Amino acid sequence: MDDVRIEGSKVILRNVKQADLKRLWSLKYGETDPEWKKWDAPYLPLELIDFHTFIEKETKHKTYDEKIGAYSELLMEKNDQIIGSVVYYWEHEPSRWLEIGITIFDPQYWNGGHGTEALMMFSGYLFENLEIERVGLTTWSGNERMIAVGKKVGMQVEGRMRKCRYHDGYYYDSIRMGILREEWESLKFQRQIET
């Protein structure tokens, strides 16, 4: 499969390469209580895995990605440094129900538009390379930044499961958001007119 490199004004998205694996493992599993995990489903424990297990998982992902023809994870780069990643996973592959996620590992890049741009580019990449009609995103009501990012990229709140996430003494809602292919095409067309 060809390498992918999508350049935006704030970040570059690119596929994971062999040389990235040690750094990526360190960013994801190098700390027992990383700052990013406080926003990424903090009610679920971070499952730390050793480097060998991580390599096995990455090898399986690579084999699957080659079969499908699209990378399931792209790295976010800024100034030649990995600052995060965007991923997709199947909620239910036979019905083509796909969800995406994003993690910006370094807090200095939060609130700067990096995540918005990355999700916009990744959604476009998925619509262009997979036979899907919708890109979804699930978050929790405690992550207001993620909800705002979803709206900025054109997603709508499609569902709210009330008080189903208990964390640090409070109940939070689960928020489902999504954008349809025709909505994405319309937004893409509008952006082309504006530039």
Side-chain angles (χ1 to χ4, degrees):
M1 198 158 65
D2 292 338
D3 284 342
V4 168
R5 183 180 175 88
I6 308 167
E7 293 193 34
S9 61
K10 295 180 181 287
V11 294
I12 293 169
L13 295 185
R14 67 169 180 81
N15 57 290
V16 178
K17 298 180 180 174
Q18 191 71 31
D20 301 316
L21 294 177
K22 196 75 169 173
R23 177 69 180 141
L24 190 56
W25 174 81
S26 176
L27 289 166
K28 289 183 176 185
Y29 306 107
E31 294 179 53
T32 55
D33 189 25
E35 188 68 20
W36 59 264
K37 185 61 180 150
K38 292 175 181 162
W39 303 101
D40 182 13
Y43 37 81
L44 299 175
L46 176 62
E47 289 185 38
L48 298 176
I49 60 172
D50 61 41
F51 186 64
H52 177 74
T53 305
F54 175 71
I55 293 297
E56 287 176 352
K57 284 179 70 173
E58 287 295 310
T59 302
K60 286 179 186 172
H61 285 303
K62 185 178 179 189
T63 302
Y64 179 80
D65 292 350
E66 288 172 354
K67 185 179 96 175
I68 294 294
Y71 290 101
S72 57
E73 178 175 29
L74 294 179
L75 299 179
M76 294 171 57
E77 263 190 357
K78 176 95 175 171
N79 302 325
D80 297 320
Q81 297 294 315
I82 300 168
I83 66 166
S85 72
V86 286
V87 299
Y88 85 79
Y89 60 93
W90 294 106
E91 187 77 27
H92 186 249
E93 189 175 0
S95 63
R96 301 180 187 164
W97 179 357
L98 176 140
E99 296 273 309
I100 61 175
I102 182 169
T103 304
I104 298 179
F105 302 111
D106 189 337
Q108 75 172 318
Y109 295 106
W110 296 352
N111 301 317
H114 301 89
T116 301
E117 184 178 76
L119 275 187
M120 201 172 293
M121 293 189 304
F122 192 51
S123 296
Y125 169 76
L126 295 175
F127 279 127
E128 290 166 10
N129 289 282
L130 295 173
E131 197 174 323
I132 53 172
E133 285 301 311
R134 176 187 172 277
V135 169
L137 181 149
T138 300
T139 189
W140 59 298
S141 59
N143 194 346
E144 294 174 3
R145 289 189 310 239
M146 189 71 255
I147 296 167
V149 166
K151 289 178 180 176
K152 285 179 190 173
V153 302
M155 292 186 168
Q156 297 178 30
V157 174
E158 298 173 332
R160 175 182 291 266
M161 291 173 281
R162 298 174 297 157
K163 294 189 175 184
C164 65
R165 296 291 190 191
Y166 186 74
H167 176 63
D168 275 351
Y170 296 95
Y171 284 99
Y172 295 92
D173 299 346
S174 180
I175 310 293
R176 288 212 179 247
M177 303 180 78
I179 186 168
L180 302 178
R181 179 179 288 276
E182 62 253 29
E183 294 165 341
W184 175 258
E185 293 293 338
S186 176
L187 284 172
K188 186 172 125 183
F189 181 69
Q190 282 178 314
R191 289 185 192 111
Q192 289 171 344
I193 290 173
E194 291 168 4
T195 56

